[in-house]
Amino acid sequence: MKGTKRFFLEIAYDGTAYHGWQIQPNAVSVQEKLNLALQTLLRTEVETLGAGRTDTGVHAKQLYVHFDSDNILLINSPDRFVHSLNALLPFDISVIRLLEVEASSHARFDATERSYEYHIHFTKDPFLVNKSWQFRDRLDVPRMNEAAKLLLGKKDFGCFSKSNTQVFTNICTITEAKWVEVAEKLVFHITADRFLRNMVRAIVGTLLEVGAKGKPISYIDEVLASQDRSKAGTSVPAHGLYLTKVKYPYIDPIKE
């Protein structure tokens, strides 16, 4: 289409009410709601593609999606466009900004780094329902952090992935993996160039085997060497997981 340009949207959402990011039959997704709002505003069919896919109940503090359009509103009034789009979206999905990018830019393949957090709390708190996982027992955080260091680097993480995911490689490079205590909460931070399906939730469950059940720190190395999902810990619930950051070489982060 003549005059068509490519745009990135930076969005955030509470994943509680959705069956993940990606459109799927017989289930409500974030992508479905976003596409519908875009089509209503632009009065034409719009297809979006996200930087990744989050599972049912998983939240995103930052996700980028791209789409193509020739609508002049996107060029002349980007702030107005964002305001209007937010007005059409449900309360639990927010558009943060619109960016015009090169025609070859790709929200998924151009991302160089992704970060996640997993939130755990220990006392009953009605304001954390569906936002953090309540864990009954106290955890040995120093030992879990020692175990997390064994995840760093370029490795095959197939032991933490769902089976039959149709990926070409299980190799990922993790640059950060650590637990941080915040008041009465515990937050796991992890950053990598890419992630496999269910990888973060499986890693957290495996680290809890060290911190709660007394497995040795070397257990992480044993699981990695096994390349066997059944050797790793149980996946933790989705509602404690947040996609927090996606980096691109050509996008400057919003200054705090």
Side-chain angles (χ1 to χ4, degrees), residues 121-187:
H121 63 287
F122 301 99
T123 56
K124 187 175 181 180
D125 187 337
F127 299 104
L128 293 177
V129 174
N130 295 322
K131 303 297 187 295
S132 176
W133 181 38
Q134 184 181 351
F135 198 80
R136 304 294 179 180
D137 303 318
R138 290 290 167 173
L139 296 164
D140 190 331
V141 178
R143 291 185 74 248
M144 289 199 301
N145 269 328
E146 286 301 311
K149 290 177 182 178
L150 299 177
L151 298 167
L152 298 176
K154 186 175 182 179
K155 305 178 192 291
D156 188 318
F157 290 97
C159 55
F160 297 120
S161 174
K162 282 185 177 179
S163 58
N164 304 317
T165 55
Q166 297 180 338
V167 295
F168 293 108
T169 177
N170 292 323
I171 301 294
C172 308
T173 302
I174 294 180
T175 53
E176 178 188 50
K178 65 180 181 182
W179 293 90
V180 177
E181 296 181 84
V182 183
E184 288 298 307
K185 291 183 66 176
L186 187 60
V187 181

Side-chain angles (χ1 to χ4, degrees), residues 41-60:
L41 185 57
L42 298 175
R43 299 182 181 181
T44 186
E45 187 171 337
V46 177
E47 292 186 7
T48 58
L49 192 144
R53 54 193 298 181
T54 55
D55 290 334
T56 300
V58 175
H59 316 292

